[in-house]
Amino acid sequence: MTARDEQTPSPIRLADYRPPAWAVERIELEFDLGIDTSEVHSRLHLRRDPAQDAPLRLDGEGLELLAIALDGQPLDASGYCYRDNVLEIDRVADGSVLETRVRIRPAANTALEGLYLSGSRERGFLLTQCEAEGFRHITFFPDRPDVLTRYTVTLRADRERFPVLLAGGNPDGAGALPDGRHWARFVDPYPKPCYLFALVAGRLEKLERDYVTADGRHVALVIWAEPDVIECCHYAMDALERAMRWDERAYGRNFDLDVFHVVATHDFNMGAMENKGLNIFNAKYLLADPDTTTDDEYRAVEAVIGHEYFHNWSGNRVTCRDWFQLSLKEGLTVFREQQFSADMNSPSLKRIDDVALLRRAQFPEDAGPLAHPVRPSQYSEINNFYTATVYEKGSELVRMLAGRLGPEGFRRGMDLYFERNDGRAATLEDFLAALGLANGIDLAPYLAWYGQAGTPRLSGEGHYDAAARSYTLTLRQHTPPTPGQPDKQPLPIPVKLALFDPDGRMLPLHEGATEQVVVLDTQEQSFVFPGVERAPVPSLLRGFSAPVVLDYAYAPVELALLLTHDTDGFNRWEAAQQLAWRAYMEMRDGRGHEALTVWGDTLARLFDQATLDPALLADLLTPPSEVELAERETDVDPARIHALRQTLQRELASRVGAAALAERYRALTAQASDALDAASQAQRRLKRRVLELLVLLDAPTAQAFAAAQFDRAATMTDRLASLAVLVRSGAPQATEALARYRTRHADNALALDKWFAVQAQIPGEPALARVRALEADSKFTLKNPNRVQALLGTWARGNPSGFHRVDGEGYRFLAARLAELDALNPQVAARLATAFNGWQRLEPTRREQARAAVAGLAEQSLSRNLAEIVGNMLKG
């Protein structure tokens, strides 16, 4: 396997880290912007590390060098070497100034890395994406996160074509130029790594709001978008203000510039980017209005707005020393974002959503050939390192530390972390040291979590001694081998727990508290709880206190007790998940119906409880996904899993009863509101779930309900939920509903993404034919990452029975599309290729078909991004 047009790079190793030989004290950048070509004039003020004697080496990829000068003297070809994407200059003195002028080509940049054109030549605009290594596609620079520099940026462009000129930092002047051109200058007073550089130029409209921080700074909040969607930015503006107020209260962090710009684009490889003072967002995480945005998407907009804003401190003011420390900014900021979202909405429901995502995305990653530690020892292509492990598992590790220290102790530790590392490129060791020092605790043992891949399995058993009135809980841990790490060490695992008596009452534990955290930091450990009057049922890992798989031999009636009485919303849901898994195994293995009966009957009783939160009830009524069920299987047959899960849901629906489901649906419809408050969202969430269950028992009635709901839907949540039921159940009304949806939203890119995605979720073998037909649709393009993920990503990652065809045609089709996509956008191709993760655990026929497809792809000339993913797949 070879990487296209370049040698396969040597791995980058953490152990080889050395401080930069050259620092850049400040940089002055001048851009002459155009769509086909732009010119960049750079002036670097250099400082040498006196401890190192090394030539000046600067990264630069795809740059046409027009001029180069050192300390004002032009250099001829003998004065420098530009080869293999590195510019090297000998005999550079400390304090020298290097000037370069380069030409780059934004319109030809389909990889969307560096400076590129978003949208059409006539109406689109220019923007940048520099994380992780995009800045080297703009100008020559030491492109690494530990080179922190102060930026002065001057932009020049045609005023009519590019009336808006933006860069990071504070505005520092603007004016007219001859020939219809104009200029604008921005100065960032804070040193930053080059991955946080950003510019935007084009025809954009704005929303603006004045904001006064808690420490009295006046800030202009400005959101920019294209004219036809600017009115969809009001919710994002409100969410931004909520995030800023929350960070001031929760962490004492205030914004530090005079202006905060946020820009929306439909062409973006990632979700959003926290560039200092100029955040750039994938439009799907910024634009929102009732006609096109679901409740889930409203919450996602709020969360991502918060995430990128919180980066101003956890990522920008304190950045990461090297990319091995990526979770120091991303895992930490995901945790802060999750705290914010929980405070804005429901903590229990937020926790359920976060853990469900972890299990769907990160647990499979940890169990397959792509497993890697949160901080690996090496990597080859940094763009492949933006994974669920770094983000979601990284967040869980911060959550463990926060739980260990308590709210006040964690806040003390964070204050010290920001104080000690402001303006620095920090490491995970710096983070743990600050948290520990502020609380007088050695947290070094938790570093093992960052260096060890795999999901630990926590097993336990309880013993009640009636004579001694004591309960003993014995816990054990084991982490399965992962690629490159066959032997695992014990980890510190905090287990938050409570004990319930047989009547469902919580028992007092230490000093009268009803909850306690015990830490398992050896292979096996026992914990004794005295003064227990009756044999208890333990509620373990409350709030999911550690990212592990729990194996505890609960009897079905014990899980039913927790499902009915547990005061921890997450553990109620977890009890329902465990019962559903037991019921699934009973059906799979053809043995008994104890768990199925207990699960169905308990949920049927809860269904009738008027006081139960409708949103929580909807989640309780939802069994583990097909992806989660497959993770517990060997010789995985996705078609069989889909069929069994459908049977499982049908059994649940039958125990609730078609009449009860229809009655609840009518009641929820009668109470329907298009408001965004929590109660209205909860009712819509339950209404969707009730409809999904009813269609399994009484398809004609449910499909008639869905068709009527589609007709009168006042929100995208209701419209999309009804459309999904019609399409996935093969309803006769589905064709007309799809056509009407397409007509209504023909000019809305984000709404059309949903139209593609809902059809990609048709279960079973018919899905591939639908995907192929949709590829021929005039609105489909491989050049737009959102459209690719909506159709191909939804089908390959979110529709196991549709992707994993027994004839292997799905695998061959995806491999062909990956090769085509790789030529356009290697980052998107590499992320989509992870759909093959876990192919080794498929049943033999599918396993061989998947292996052949991946091996065939590996024989082609691929980008570094895709070559690394495919190579790792075949090694696993």
Side-chain angles (χ1 to χ4, degrees):
M1 178 171 49
T2 58
R4 182 177 59 243
D5 297 332
E6 51 196 311
Q7 296 180 346
T8 301
S10 300
I12 308 299
R13 294 181 173 85
L14 176 59
D16 295 336
Y17 173 81
R18 297 293 182 274
W22 289 89
V24 181
E25 284 193 329
R26 66 183 191 276
I27 181 173
E28 294 144 16
L29 287 169
E30 298 179 11
F31 287 81
D32 286 288
L33 295 167
I35 291 175
D36 290 309
T37 63
S38 292
E39 291 191 6
V40 186
H41 182 192
S42 169
R43 186 178 296 105
L44 308 183
H45 297 257
L46 301 164
R47 285 294 179 190
R48 182 199 293 272
D49 178 357
Q52 301 187 61
D53 184 17
L56 177 66
R57 293 189 179 92
L58 305 176
D59 301 295
E61 293 190 25
L63 306 179
E64 180 185 350
L65 181 59
L66 303 177
I68 182 169
L70 184 65
D71 294 327
Q73 298 299 313
L75 297 179
D76 59 26
S78 65
Y80 65 91
C81 177
Y82 181 27
R83 184 175 57 213
D84 297 332
N85 300 321
V86 175
L87 175 66
E88 183 171 312
I89 307 173
D90 290 316
R91 298 184 300 277
V92 179
D94 182 32
S96 288
V97 177
L98 178 72
E99 295 183 66
T100 62
R101 188 162 54 89
V102 302
R103 180 179 292 127
I104 53 180
R105 292 171 171 76
N109 183 1
T110 62
L112 312 186
E113 185 178 25
L115 178 67
Y116 65 93
L117 175 67
S118 174
S120 67
R121 297 177 60 87
E122 296 74 25
R123 299 180 57 190
F125 60 97
L126 297 176
L127 74 158
T128 56
Q129 170 54 24
C130 293
E131 188 177 358
E133 295 177 340
F135 195 67
R136 64 187 61 189
H137 295 275
I138 294 174
T139 191
F140 293 105
F141 197 81
D143 193 351
R144 46 189 289 173
D146 56 353
V147 177
L148 276 62
T149 305
R150 286 182 169 83
Y151 283 71
T152 297
V153 180
T154 302
L155 308 177
R156 292 186 286 265
D158 181 87
R159 181 186 291 275
E160 181 179 353
R161 183 62 185 85
F162 302 103
V164 175
L165 299 176
L166 303 172
N170 290 322
D172 190 50
L177 293 169
D179 302 322
R181 292 166 61 77
H182 68 138
W183 66 274
R185 181 178 298 114
F186 297 83
V187 176
D188 193 338
Y190 297 97
K192 65 188 177 189
C194 64
Y195 80 83
L196 292 174
F197 170 80
L199 72 80
V200 170
R203 298 188 187 105
L204 299 168
E205 298 293 334
K206 67 179 178 179
L207 293 180
E208 190 166 3
R209 181 177 298 178
D210 294 329
Y211 181 87
V212 181
T213 65
D215 61 355
R217 173 184 287 274
H218 289 261
V219 180
L221 308 181
V222 191
I223 296 182
W224 299 86
E226 291 169 288
D228 59 332
V229 294
I230 189 63
E231 289 304 313
C232 297
C233 296
H234 290 281
Y235 180 81
M237 180 67 84
D238 292 340
L240 175 58
E241 185 164 351
R242 288 194 295 273
M244 296 176 77
R245 291 292 178 215
W246 181 88
D247 208 24
E248 291 168 355
R249 292 193 306 269
Y251 285 89
R253 301 296 111 189
N254 296 279
F255 191 64
D256 50 9
L257 294 173
D258 299 334
V259 62
F260 184 58
H261 294 290
V262 178
V263 178
T265 173
H266 286 286
D267 297 291
F268 207 64
N269 286 338
M270 307 173 84
M273 183 60 214
E274 70 269 19
N275 317 295
K276 182 72 177 177
L278 177 53
N279 286 188
I280 296 177
F281 274 65
N282 188 321
K284 69 185 291 186
Y285 295 115
L286 194 71
L287 308 182
D289 75 302
D291 191 52
T292 61
T293 307
T294 67
D295 294 340
D296 290 344
E297 289 170 331
Y298 270 111
R299 289 192 297 274
V301 167
E302 182 178 65
V304 178
I305 283 279
H307 181 103
E308 304 309 325
Y309 174 73
F310 302 147
H311 264 312
N312 189 61
W313 279 91
S314 51
N316 296 2
R317 287 284 289 262
V318 181
T319 193
C320 49
R321 186 195 71 178
D322 51 70
W323 292 121
F324 294 99
Q325 321 296 327
L326 180 59
S327 194
L328 179 62
K329 75 180 186 76
E330 294 301 347
L332 175 56
T333 304
V334 169
F335 171 70
R336 277 158 45 76
E337 162 210 317
Q338 291 173 348
Q339 286 184 302
F340 166 65
S341 295
D343 285 351
M344 295 300 106
N345 300 282
S346 163
S348 293
L349 294 175
K350 176 59 177 169
R351 194 71 188 120
I352 290 169
D353 288 345
D354 292 339
V355 176
L357 173 61
L358 187 79
R359 290 174 174 170
R360 289 195 309 269
Q362 198 279 321
F363 278 15
E365 188 171 273
D366 239 353
L370 301 182
H372 63 85
V374 174
R375 183 171 69 177
S377 60
Q378 67 178 49
Y379 65 81
S380 294
E381 171 52 58
I382 182 56
N383 288 310
N384 291 337
F385 191 22
Y386 286 74
T387 62
T389 295
V390 168
Y391 281 69
E392 274 66 44
K393 185 174 182 178
S395 170
E396 294 299 322
L397 303 191
V398 177
R399 184 178 296 274
M400 283 199 307
L401 294 166
R404 172 72 176 82
L405 300 176
E408 293 182 1
F410 186 69
R411 171 63 190 271
R412 281 196 305 271
M414 289 300 300
D415 285 347
L416 184 59
Y417 169 68
F418 289 133
E419 178 186 334
R420 297 178 80 185
N421 296 287
D422 189 7
R424 293 186 62 243
T427 66
L428 288 164
E429 284 83 357
D430 295 326
F431 177 61
L432 291 178
L435 296 183
L437 182 61
N439 291 277
I441 298 174
D442 180 13
L443 296 175
Y446 283 86
L447 272 176
W449 274 99
Y450 287 93
Q452 188 163 282
T455 304
R457 302 193 73 91
L458 178 69
S459 60
E461 59 187 31
H463 173 71
Y464 179 65
D465 186 332
R469 296 171 47 251
S470 70
Y471 175 75
T472 300
L473 176 67
T474 300
L475 298 175
R476 304 175 188 87
Q477 63 170 294
H478 167 70
T479 304
T482 56
Q485 288 188 338
D487 301 314
K488 305 294 185 178
Q489 62 176 306
L491 300 168
I493 300 177
V495 180
K496 180 185 281 190
L497 58 85
L499 300 179
F500 285 81
D501 72 13
D503 297 322
R505 291 189 292 264
M506 293 180 75
L507 299 175
L509 299 174
H510 180 65
E511 295 182 352
T514 54
E515 281 189 332
Q516 186 173 332
V517 176
V518 299
V519 179
L520 173 67
D521 53 11
T522 59
Q523 207 75 42
E524 178 178 329
Q525 200 166 344
S526 293
F527 304 91
V528 179
F529 301 89
V532 179
E533 298 294 339
R534 303 163 70 186
V537 176
S539 173
L540 302 175
L541 286 174
R542 292 169 69 78
F544 201 64
S545 58
V548 302
V549 173
L550 175 64
D551 297 314
Y552 189 90
Y554 286 108
V557 292
E558 293 178 316
L559 290 171
L561 182 143
L562 296 176
L563 172 55
T564 304
H565 297 291
D566 204 326
T567 55
D568 184 296
F570 171 83
N571 270 28
R572 292 187 77 174
W573 173 79
E574 180 66 359
Q577 295 288 289
Q578 293 299 321
L579 273 172
W581 166 246
R582 303 275 186 89
Y584 170 86
M585 288 194 297
E586 289 176 347
M587 291 194 311
R588 183 195 67 185
D589 301 337
R591 52 174 177 79
H593 297 90
E594 181 185 8
L596 179 62
T597 299
V598 171
W599 177 61
D601 289 350
T602 304
L603 286 175
R605 288 194 297 271
L606 291 175
F607 190 81
D608 292 331
Q609 285 189 8
T611 58
L612 188 60
D613 176 13
L616 177 59
L617 177 59
D619 286 358
L620 296 180
L621 292 168
T622 305
S625 68
E626 293 173 31
V627 172
E628 293 170 85
L629 293 172
E631 280 306 298
R632 303 194 184 197
E633 298 250 20
T634 56
D635 289 338
V636 173
D637 181 343
R640 183 167 182 257
I641 290 173
H642 172 73
L644 283 171
R645 187 174 184 271
Q646 289 293 92
T647 301
L648 182 68
Q649 294 188 94
R650 194 173 293 110
E651 286 288 336
L652 172 61
S654 68
R655 291 181 184 274
V656 175
L661 289 167
E663 181 182 357
R664 177 63 69 90
Y665 177 82
R666 292 188 185 97
L668 290 167
T669 300
Q671 300 164 8
S673 164
D674 61 0
L676 270 177
D677 61 278
S680 299
Q681 290 192 37
Q683 289 177 341
R684 288 192 288 269
R685 190 163 176 158
L686 180 58
K687 183 167 62 172
R688 178 185 65 194
R689 185 62 189 142
V690 167
L691 196 58
E692 291 168 345
L693 289 173
L694 182 60
V695 79
L696 297 172
L697 283 186
D698 184 353
T701 298
Q703 289 167 349
F705 283 163
Q709 178 174 311
F710 183 84
D711 288 342
R712 63 173 177 262
T715 67
M716 177 57 85
T717 301
D718 279 348
R719 186 177 309 118
L720 192 64
S722 58
L723 183 63
V725 167
L726 293 173
V727 170
R728 293 179 206 173
S729 68
Q733 304 97 321
T735 300
E736 181 188 355
L738 284 168
R740 289 169 55 198
Y741 183 103
R742 172 60 183 268
T743 299
R744 176 174 183 153
H745 299 293
D747 298 322
N748 187 295
L750 299 181
L752 276 183
D753 285 339
K754 300 178 184 68
W755 183 82
F756 280 96
V758 76
Q759 295 177 78
Q761 293 173 324
I762 294 173
E765 294 193 355
L768 180 56
R770 182 66 65 92
V771 169
R772 281 181 162 145
L774 289 169
E775 273 196 320
D777 189 281
S778 62
K779 293 292 187 178
F780 181 77
T781 173
L782 287 176
K783 293 183 178 181
N784 180 260
N786 286 354
R787 194 57 44 87
V788 169
Q789 296 297 349
L791 181 60
L792 299 181
T794 299
W795 167 69
R797 285 197 294 261
N799 186 357
S801 68
F803 173 55
H804 294 281
R805 292 167 55 109
V806 71
D807 61 4
E809 190 59 27
Y811 306 138
R812 290 186 288 275
F813 173 80
L814 181 61
R817 290 301 171 271
L818 289 172
E820 187 178 353
L821 183 59
D822 192 44
L824 296 169
N825 192 322
Q827 287 188 45
V828 174
R831 290 179 186 135
L832 184 58
T834 60
F836 281 109
N837 188 39
W839 67 265
Q840 296 92 336
R841 294 173 42 253
L842 294 166
E843 53 79 25
T845 300
R846 288 179 173 85
R847 186 188 313 150
E848 177 52 32
Q849 297 277 13
R851 186 208 62 78
V854 175
L857 184 60
E859 293 174 358
Q860 303 183 47
S861 179
L862 305 175
S863 68
R864 292 197 311 258
N865 306 66
L866 186 56
E868 182 182 30
I869 294 293
V870 171
N872 288 339
M873 289 281 188
L874 293 173
K875 290 178 192 174

